[in-house]
Amino acid sequence: MGGLYDIADPRFARLVLPNAGLEVLGAGFRWTEGPVWFADHEMLLFSDIPNDRVVRWTEAGVTVFLQPAGFANGHARDRDGRLISCSHHHRRLERREFDGRVTVLADEFEGRRLNAPNDVVVKADGSIWFTDPHYGINTDYEGGKQPAELPATVYRLGAEGGLSAVAADFAGPNGLCFSPDETRLYIAETGKQFEAEASKYVRVFEVDGARLRGGRHFCSVAVGNVDGLCADEDGNLWCSAGDGVHCFAPDGERLGAIITGDTVSNVAFGGRQRCRLFITGGTQLRAIYTNTRGAVRP
Ligand code: MG
């Protein structure tokens, strides 16, 4: 029987609300991605990448926040609350200041242009960690196909500046997420485009100051691949997939899934109690109330 919840482990039954439904909060987009919650404004920002806009959702509805938006993909907030964005078209990581100006945080590494920053997270120490695969500069809608100049890499930008490559053994680093205590960094490997699903999985690294160690296989999904992911306050990982959102315990055990029946690109907890899971992907923005809460930075 195909239901909304796939409960693979009894622990998952305590993380979801059996009477909660999947809500469509917005529709008519082309491809939604990059959800980030602003608790102070009770709003969610997310990208509608092919339409080159960043969209704002509040309880009052959906409005355009920014257009054009440099074909922005992933977003995060820094320690001061400013919006950090991955720009495909400008091939850079950027920050929106309180006066509306845009500061370029990183657009090159060792003299070569970044490819297309995809997703970004900010650590409690103010450092910014982001992925730079080759996707995003190879579709015409993003402003014309451009050649990649750098290998697919995961970067760390220190709070005081200084860009370093922290993981280079990826074919396509994509979404990333710290464990709640920031001792681990999970990074989705989505491989080369049009490659077999077997090459697509989530890796887990130990965070050692400004470096990463390890990088073993952590989890994978049966349908599609993990693109974006986020952690709840207990460190369970909520991962996008080709059929919904799958939840994994910190030991890698799959707990269950919210089956949307279509491809999910990314997820973010938000809402007044941080228990609402916002889901991007396809032409919609959706959300579902859960019985857990999103992790907060230490
Ligand atoms: Mg992504």
Side-chain angles (χ1 to χ4, degrees), residues 255-292:
L255 301 181
I258 297 162
I259 302 297
T260 62
D262 55 10
T263 300
V264 169
S265 66
N266 215 327
V267 280
F269 280 101
R272 204 168 281 177
Q273 311 297 334
R274 275 195 342 274
C275 62
R276 198 171 191 185
L277 188 68
F278 291 91
I279 299 170
T280 55
T283 59
Q284 298 178 321
L285 171 70
R286 290 174 289 191
I288 190 163
Y289 282 98
T290 71
N291 197 31
T292 182

Side-chain angles (χ1 to χ4, degrees), residues 33-34 73-74 88 118-119 131 135 173-175 190 227-228 265-266:
E33 244 286 9
N73 188 336
H88 282 185
N118 188 293
D119 215 343
T131 55
Y135 328 119
N174 205 316
T190 43
D227 182 342
S265 66
N266 215 327

Side-chain angles (χ1 to χ4, degrees), residues 94-146:
E94 58 189 42
R95 180 176 68 214
R96 198 168 171 81
E97 307 294 346
F98 295 121
D99 63 6
R101 284 182 300 175
V102 171
T103 300
V104 177
L105 297 178
D107 61 357
E108 56 146 45
F109 184 66
E110 294 177 343
R112 287 181 287 170
R113 295 183 75 193
L114 297 182
N115 304 310
N118 188 293
D119 215 343
V120 56
V121 286
V122 178
K123 198 163 171 280
D125 66 3
S127 58
I128 302 172
W129 304 61
F130 66 98
T131 55
D132 186 43
H134 294 148
Y135 328 119
I137 49 172
N138 51 13
T139 55
D140 280 322
Y141 71 71
E142 281 148 329
K145 293 175 179 144
Q146 302 174 49

Side-chain angles (χ1 to χ4, degrees), residues 1-22:
M1 194 191 91
L4 177 60
Y5 297 110
D6 161 25
I7 299 188
D9 183 295
R11 286 175 283 178
F12 192 60
R14 295 194 295 270
L15 298 176
V16 294
L17 296 168
N19 58 352
L22 196 59

